[in-house]
Amino acid sequence: MKKRFTDEQIVKLIKEHEAGKSATDIAREYNISQATFYSWQKKYSGMEVSDVKRLKELEAENHRLKEMVADLSLDNKVLKDIVSKN
C-alpha cells in the first residue's frame, strides 16, 4: 500500500498543531480524517524527522529478529520430534 504522506510531512503536520493550528483545520487542509491525525499525533508527537527514521529502522530490525526467532523455534521443534522418534 502506497502512503500518501511521508514521515517528514507527518512530523510537519504535528508541528503545525503544536504551534496552535487546530486539528480540524489541519485535517481539512490536507484531506485526512481527524482520527488519522490523532493517531499520527499519538505515535509521532515530540519526535523529529531523524527520530521517526530511527523508529522505522528499529521496527524493521525488530520484525527481522522476530522472523528469525520463529524460524529457529520451528527448526528446534522439528529436531526435537526427530530425536524423540529415534
Side-chain angles (χ1 to χ4, degrees):
M1 183 173 129
K2 183 178 182 293
K3 290 174 55 175
R4 284 182 39 203
F5 293 92
T6 64
D7 297 331
E8 293 85 5
Q9 290 171 324
I10 293 170
V11 170
K12 179 182 165 257
L13 297 177
I14 293 170
K15 296 255 186 239
E16 285 181 25
H17 181 66
E18 291 172 353
K21 195 170 185 180
S22 73
T24 306
D25 291 341
I26 292 171
R28 190 177 305 122
E29 181 179 341
Y30 293 98
N31 196 25
I32 58 172
S33 70
Q34 286 185 354
T36 299
F37 175 77
Y38 285 121
S39 67
W40 286 347
Q41 186 180 25
K42 181 179 175 185
K43 186 171 183 178
Y44 298 113
S45 183
M47 292 185 169
E48 296 294 327
V49 175
S50 60
D51 297 333
V52 174
K53 287 182 180 179
R54 180 71 179 138
L55 175 67
K56 296 289 183 185
E57 290 171 1
L58 290 173
E59 287 174 345
E61 180 180 5
N62 192 28
H63 180 71
R64 285 191 308 273
L65 291 172
K66 284 182 179 182
E67 284 181 346
M68 287 174 55
V69 167
D71 290 342
L72 290 173
S73 296
L74 184 61
D75 290 346
N76 188 12
K77 183 172 177 12
V78 168
L79 291 173
K80 282 184 179 180
D81 289 345
I82 291 171
V83 168
S84 68
K85 288 180 182 178
N86 291 337

